[in-house]
Amino acid sequence: MGMGLVLFSLFLLFLQHTKGEDFNAINNNANNRSRILATSCNWFRGKWVYDPSYPLYDPFKCPFIEAEFDCQKYGRPDSNYLKYRWQPFSCSLPRFNGLYFLRKWRGKKIMFVGDSLSLNQFQSLTCMIQAWVPNSQISYIKRDGLTSVSFLDYDVKIFLYRTPYLVDVVNERFGRLLKLDSIRGGDSWKGMDMLIFNTWHWWTHTGRSQPFDYIEDGGKTWKDMNRMIAYYKGLTTWARWVNRNVDPFKTKVFFQGISPTHYEGKDWNQPTQSCTGQTQPFFGMKYPAGTPMAWVVVKKVLSRIKKPVYLLDVTGLSQYRKDAHPATYSGLHNGNDCSHWCLPGLPDTWNHILYAKLFS
């Protein structure tokens, strides 16, 4: 057995040991080089409270929400899920002000880079801002995996670059190849004033639902490999790209943490249920499923990165929101969607914390 394989086997054992540990304990003891967004206050430890002033925008007045997230339009009968606000234990998040955001980021370019969870967060932020300037001139362009919303009166441009793995998937004569050590699309990410990266959702897809046939790394090709190892390798390639290409004096870099799913009710001690029909968050102090292994991989990679990358550590607070998925109320997905999030909804809190980091 090669030394590389031995090290990865030990790494997997470490992940298995860690998975059941208390999320908050790990969060408190982890290496802080990844700069979890908490200075005088940990914004990621808190509880969901009912707030009748929510949501932060009217979904029927936002032109950016796509069918897969538009739960109210597609028949969701309840609305309490719209009314929950995240309240950190030891402080409060600053009030979101979209006009202030535009004025402070005048002339700047922001890009979300990742999969459909990045789309979720991108559409959330554009709706949150647009609600503050409903009469502002806006340009909305969609083409070939790149979407942009420009607030023309403020010269603020917000982009979405779709790439499910961050690393490349290329077509070869023998099939589609997931290249764990290659990022060709990175040139499109350069020149931004803020980058918000995300990847995890598609690494779990197998069989017909995966968009590749083989995996390549270091000149070697496999039919498949342990997906947690593949994820670690792919994220490490992304980290190298950040180290080589990002000037921290010009560009702020964020990584959207692991967004959980709620397909299996055993994760919150209700084994016969899923997200379908859920109308309230999980209100316990400790989420029964524990820490996802992918979260540990992200922490491991970010602890070694040389440039400042701020982790939007949304995993724990999102685990509580078993009620916030489209489920069957989506205009795109057939069946039960317990992966994505309704808009308005949970991604608004991710962006609220992003706002707090930028302006606190």
Side-chain angles (χ1 to χ4, degrees):
M1 181 182 292
M3 181 58 68
L5 186 56
V6 170
L7 291 175
F8 275 118
S9 298
L10 291 173
F11 177 63
L12 280 181
L13 287 173
F14 166 72
L15 293 180
Q16 293 286 357
H17 171 72
T18 305
K19 187 175 187 297
E21 293 183 23
D22 178 66
F23 184 91
N24 288 326
I26 298 173
N27 208 356
N28 289 339
N29 295 329
N31 186 313
N32 284 327
R33 188 180 300 175
S34 60
R35 303 187 184 185
I36 288 179
L37 300 187
T39 50
S40 59
C41 171
N42 189 335
W43 293 319
F44 302 104
R45 295 196 63 191
K47 61 182 179 180
W48 289 100
V49 297
Y50 188 84
D51 188 333
S53 70
Y54 269 48
L56 297 177
Y57 53 90
D58 183 341
F60 297 104
K61 294 181 179 179
C62 181
F64 312 123
I65 301 177
E66 295 191 8
E68 60 186 308
F69 312 135
D70 203 346
C71 303
Q72 289 293 300
K73 179 179 179 179
Y74 287 93
R76 182 162 178 170
D78 62 307
S79 59
N80 279 352
Y81 74 95
L82 296 168
K83 301 291 185 180
Y84 285 100
R85 172 176 55 82
W86 180 249
Q87 177 60 58
F89 288 135
S90 56
C91 63
S92 292
L93 291 168
R95 182 170 179 259
F96 182 88
N97 185 321
L99 181 58
Y100 183 75
F101 187 106
L102 290 173
R103 287 173 174 170
K104 296 294 287 186
W105 278 75
R106 185 183 295 272
K108 304 291 187 181
K109 294 185 292 185
I110 300 164
M111 179 177 278
F112 290 86
V113 182
D115 57 27
S116 52
L117 275 308
S118 290
L119 173 65
N120 228 172
Q121 189 178 3
F122 164 80
Q123 292 186 357
S124 163
L125 181 61
T126 53
C127 287
M128 290 168 72
I129 294 173
Q130 189 265 346
W132 280 83
V133 289
N135 298 318
S136 177
Q137 284 190 302
I138 292 172
S139 168
Y140 183 26
I141 301 172
K142 298 174 65 177
R143 65 172 186 270
D144 298 331
L146 183 66
T147 304
S148 68
V149 172
S150 301
F151 293 88
L152 301 177
D153 297 334
Y154 302 89
D155 192 24
V156 173
K157 298 177 181 179
I158 305 176
F159 298 91
L160 171 72
Y161 184 99
R162 292 291 293 269
T163 171
Y165 299 101
L166 298 183
V167 294
D168 296 330
V169 178
V170 299
N171 291 317
E172 301 287 358
R173 56 179 176 78
F174 53 84
R176 301 163 299 174
L177 189 61
L178 174 62
K179 304 186 72 171
L180 299 179
D181 55 0
S182 172
I183 296 181
R184 295 179 183 175
D187 285 346
S188 299
W189 313 340
K190 296 177 181 178
M192 297 293 148
D193 298 286
M194 177 161 60
L195 290 164
I196 305 101
F197 291 98
N198 156 66
T199 183
W200 167 239
H201 179 68
W202 279 90
W203 293 88
T204 63
H205 288 215
T206 58
R208 293 182 179 180
S209 67
Q210 72 182 35
F212 62 87
D213 304 301
Y214 300 93
I215 297 176
E216 180 185 275
D217 181 60
K220 297 181 180 179
T221 302
W222 293 268
K223 182 61 180 175
D224 206 345
M225 70 165 61
N226 181 286
R227 294 304 175 84
M228 208 61 66
I229 291 178
Y231 183 53
Y232 177 79
K233 286 174 173 282
L235 268 190
T236 300
T237 298
W238 163 80
R240 284 197 298 267
W241 184 93
V242 171
N243 283 334
R244 292 170 181 170
N245 294 283
V246 169
D247 180 350
F249 294 102
K250 296 180 179 179
T251 305
K252 295 181 182 295
V253 181
F254 293 83
F255 191 89
Q256 181 204 93
I258 301 300
S259 177
T261 62
H262 291 93
Y263 288 103
E264 299 185 13
K266 64 182 178 61
D267 288 347
W268 61 91
N269 292 335
Q270 293 181 314
T272 62
Q273 299 189 21
S274 71
C275 74
T276 300
Q278 300 294 326
T279 59
Q280 289 187 327
F282 175 82
F283 286 117
M285 287 297 295
K286 180 181 177 182
Y287 192 69
T291 306
M293 287 195 292
W295 182 90
V296 182
V297 173
V298 170
K299 292 285 295 178
K300 184 74 171 176
V301 172
L302 293 185
S303 72
R304 295 178 173 179
I305 206 165
K306 296 177 181 178
K307 300 290 178 69
V309 176
Y310 297 92
L311 175 62
L312 283 169
D313 198 8
V314 300
T315 304
L317 66 87
S318 302
Q319 285 180 320
Y320 297 142
R321 294 307 306 272
K322 58 185 173 65
D323 61 316
H325 296 282
T328 57
Y329 303 105
S330 168
L332 179 64
H333 295 279
N334 294 323
N336 195 27
D337 182 2
C338 299
S339 298
H340 302 98
W341 308 94
C342 294
L343 292 179
L346 175 66
D348 304 337
T349 296
W350 302 350
N351 286 317
H352 200 169
I353 296 174
L354 175 67
Y355 176 90
K357 169 58 191 172
L358 291 173
F359 302 121
S360 63

